[in-house]
Amino acid sequence: MTLRLQAMRGDIAHIASDAAIVNLFEGVERPGGATGAVDRALGQLISELISDREITGKRGNNVLIHTPTGRYDGFVPKRVLVMGLGKQANFGADEVREVAAVAANRLKGIAKTATTIVHGAGIGGLDTAMAAQAIAEGSIIGSYGFNKYKQTSNESSDRLELMNVAELNDSRLPEVRSGLGLGIASAEAQNFARDLVNEPANVLSPVAMADEARQVAEDHGLQLTSMSLDECRSMGMNAFAGVAQGSHRPAEFLHMTYAGDPSDASNNVWLIGKSITFDSGGLSLKPSRGMVTMKGDMGGGAAVLAAMKIVGGLRPRINVHAVLPITENMPGGGAQRPGDVVQAMNGKYVEIDNTDAEGRLTLADALGYARNNGAARIIDVATLTGAARVALGTGNAAVFGNDDALVGSVMDAAEASGDGMWRLPLDATSKRLNRSNIADVKNSGGAPAGSITAAHFISEFAEDTPWVHIDIASVSMVTGNRRMFRTAGATGAPTRTLAKLVVSLAR
Ligand code: BES
Ligand code: MN
Ligand code: ZN
């Protein structure tokens, strides 16, 4: 059961729940607004704890006060959680997400129901709907856990079940409701992406991932075409086929369509997600320590699928095409060899320098397919290179593109969603590293500028179509404690950015 959120008109002091959540900016000595009203109801207890420097208002600071029913006149909730919002100057939607995430975690095992005020909407100066959306996103994303294989864990039963979002002002209630609705849909989609990434590869085979896509299509009324490996070969996708041929498990190439503007096919964006359900490296086998997280090598495809769920709910006026070339990268007897040459769908010959540079091969044909089918803009999302993590740590995904306006749209959507992204260059010096002695291009440029040469490789298949490549190898999975995503494992990034981008491109 995921956390439920609902808007509620009324005074937080009078709404029964296990905990009331109020807030405070750093440096404030006398709380105002709803927090001030709670302070007065508790006989200035909050002000006192501020003087004592226990409540600091620093972002993430959280102090739990016990207020047993009947102890304070006219105050119903059993506890008060005072959340620090940090400095008012640095305050925005992502700070609201983080505060909501910390609060939801703080109440784990203590409260089943809570009531929160809309952080940032009053004194904070944020748009009410946006603040409500951020509360839903932060608390749902923040209280995620992947516990299906832990039979004795009580992590699920300890979780907060219901969050009321209290709004005193009647006229603001519709905004709170619509913000919550969008936030819930976005956050649940992101958690769906995390479930797919966290799911082990023995369970999430290529066909199982395709089944998930079929379910998404059915739930949201989207068209879905599935192509077998033989069909892919007959269309000329030998780069994709070369990767898939090393696994006994059948590959699938999926094309999902949300037709938001059926009268104008050219009004479109294509989202391509790397969907390697397990990356062993192929014959260029990975060392064990590098292989252990490779069930997550379909994080791009998972984020694209999750974004399609959001888009399918929002129904913007634009045609959105999702392409998932789904396969494993295995070293079976039929596997391709280093030194092989394959011809991609767009006609270019590729020398296989390293079978572990498989993602870009599958993307090459996905981009070829998108271009052949009238793509006006292409966004690809891929756990593509370990080098992205070397360059950027876990704070940002690496962004590349051949069109400044489209890159700008992606960066704006990422900023609004709180997904870290940093643009890297497609410089001519690095491009030379992909030169092959015997083919048009080779699939690996070696260690230096590893994320850049990978992007250069993909650009050979984007050709003159406006295109952005997002290398999420740095952010898709974390070992723990990265802001909102407290649990180790999948982050679901950049699900919400993709949905936001689609909406921003819609007519
Ligand atoms: N899936 C990996 C990239 C990756 C590494 C994702 C670590 C997440 C965490 C990709 O297919 C890969 O193996 N890339 C190689 C490229 C190299 C062979 C040119 C890499 O990064 O080492
Ligand atoms: Mn690989
Ligand atoms: Zn890979």
Side-chain angles (χ1 to χ4, degrees):
M1 257 296 286
T2 56
L3 171 65
R4 265 193 324 122
L5 288 104
Q6 63 184 25
M8 201 173 262
R9 203 194 69 80
D11 182 341
I12 193 166
H14 301 147
I15 300 173
S17 74
D18 296 330
I21 305 170
V22 294
N23 64 44
L24 193 76
F25 279 114
E26 190 173 339
V28 173
E29 298 288 332
R30 278 266 149 183
T35 309
V38 171
D39 187 35
R40 283 189 294 280
L42 304 186
Q44 263 76 47
L45 188 49
I46 294 176
S47 293
E48 219 172 278
L49 291 168
I50 295 171
S51 311
D52 290 350
R53 305 263 174 268
E54 182 171 345
I55 294 176
T56 64
K58 288 202 164 84
R59 185 147 30 90
N61 170 264
N62 55 87
V63 174
L64 190 68
I65 302 169
H66 292 259
T67 55
T69 314
R71 187 72 56 91
Y72 295 95
D73 228 17
F75 194 82
V76 183
K78 292 204 270 191
R79 297 168 187 81
V80 174
L81 180 61
V82 185
M83 295 298 305
L85 300 180
K87 297 202 170 77
Q88 186 153 10
N90 307 333
F91 188 71
D94 210 41
E95 284 66 34
V96 176
R97 287 186 200 101
E98 188 176 357
V99 166
V102 172
N105 278 297
R106 179 68 177 84
L107 294 175
K108 217 179 253 176
I110 297 172
K112 288 276 156 214
T113 63
T115 306
T116 183
I117 57 172
V118 184
H119 308 302
I123 304 165
L126 295 188
D127 171 73
T128 303
M130 190 209 242
Q133 180 181 344
I135 286 184
E137 290 173 350
S139 45
I140 292 174
I141 293 166
S143 53
Y144 172 84
F146 186 74
N147 302 313
K148 65 190 279 198
Y149 299 116
K150 287 185 174 177
Q151 301 192 81
T152 55
S153 153
N154 35 20
E155 271 179 55
S156 325
S157 54
D158 276 357
R159 246 180 280 163
L160 189 63
E161 286 169 5
L162 175 68
M163 177 87 79
N164 301 303
V165 181
E167 175 55 64
L168 257 180
N169 191 336
D170 240 338
S171 65
R172 279 197 189 156
L173 209 58
E175 287 173 71
V176 173
R177 272 208 188 96
S178 70
L180 284 181
L182 181 52
I184 291 166
S186 307
E188 287 183 346
Q190 181 160 346
N191 283 349
F192 165 73
R194 296 164 93 181
D195 277 344
L196 294 182
V197 170
N198 284 328
E199 192 65 65
N202 62 325
V203 178
L204 199 79
S205 65
V207 168
M209 186 169 176
D211 287 341
E212 294 287 346
R214 280 182 270 274
Q215 190 62 53
V216 169
E218 194 184 310
D219 291 348
H220 298 279
L222 312 176
Q223 300 154 31
L224 185 72
T225 314
S226 162
M227 284 150 269
S228 69
L229 196 56
D230 283 340
E231 290 170 292
C232 291
R233 278 202 190 92
S234 67
M235 281 186 287
M237 296 189 194
N238 301 305
F240 174 57
V243 176
Q245 75 193 33
S247 170
H248 291 298
R249 290 167 149 185
E252 278 198 55
F253 187 99
L254 299 187
H255 175 191
M256 181 183 281
T257 307
Y258 159 72
D261 189 2
S263 64
D264 182 3
S266 71
N267 173 23
N268 72 55
V269 60
W270 287 63
L271 306 177
I272 298 177
K274 174 174 171 181
S275 302
I276 301 293
T277 59
F278 187 74
D279 181 11
S280 71
L283 283 175
S284 310
L285 199 64
K286 283 183 184 298
S288 323
R289 66 180 184 289
M291 208 188 289
V292 72
T293 58
M294 284 302 128
K295 67 175 182 179
D297 210 18
M298 27 56 70
V304 166
L305 264 188
M308 291 303 277
K309 280 171 83 87
I310 305 173
V311 169
L314 285 176
R315 309 206 80 78
R317 192 164 157 212
I318 183 170
N319 301 304
V320 188
H321 299 264
V323 177
L324 307 188
I326 312 177
T327 180
E328 289 188 305
N329 184 29
M330 296 293 276
Q336 70 180 344
R337 295 144 288 256
D340 284 2
V341 173
V342 295
Q343 188 173 30
M345 193 178 192
N346 76 343
K348 290 193 181 175
Y349 283 105
V350 180
E351 180 189 1
I352 307 301
D353 181 63
N354 190 320
T355 66
D356 196 15
E358 84 297 338
R360 64 196 77 178
L361 295 167
T362 66
L363 296 175
D365 281 338
L367 268 84
Y369 176 88
R371 274 173 52 79
N372 284 359
N373 287 281
R377 317 172 180 95
I378 300 175
I379 315 292
D380 82 73
V381 190
T383 49
L384 206 66
T385 64
R389 188 172 289 239
V390 176
L392 296 172
T394 55
N396 286 283
V399 175
F400 301 85
N402 61 7
D403 184 286
D404 289 346
L406 192 57
V407 172
S409 301
V410 170
M411 299 302 282
D412 289 349
E415 169 72 32
S417 307
D419 284 324
M421 293 205 189
W422 197 262
R423 189 178 186 178
L424 293 179
L426 284 165
D427 62 293
T429 305
S430 302
K431 183 174 179 172
R432 300 168 65 92
L433 298 169
N434 285 340
R435 285 188 183 171
S436 162
N437 290 329
I438 64 161
D440 294 321
V441 65
K442 63 179 179 172
N443 80 326
S444 156
S451 301
I452 297 174
T453 53
H456 267 304
F457 180 86
I458 300 169
S459 81
E460 303 270 352
F461 306 88
E463 303 190 57
D464 59 359
T465 303
W467 153 79
V468 172
H469 160 59
I470 311 174
D471 188 338
I472 59 167
S474 47
V475 298
S476 181
M477 286 178 108
V478 295
T479 42
N481 243 18
R482 185 185 162 261
R483 296 179 48 247
M484 293 201 290
F485 317 109
R486 298 282 155 189
T487 45
T491 65
T495 295
R496 287 175 296 108
T497 292
L498 296 177
K500 185 107 194 156
L501 171 70
V502 165
V503 170
S504 78
L505 296 174
R507 296 229 166 105

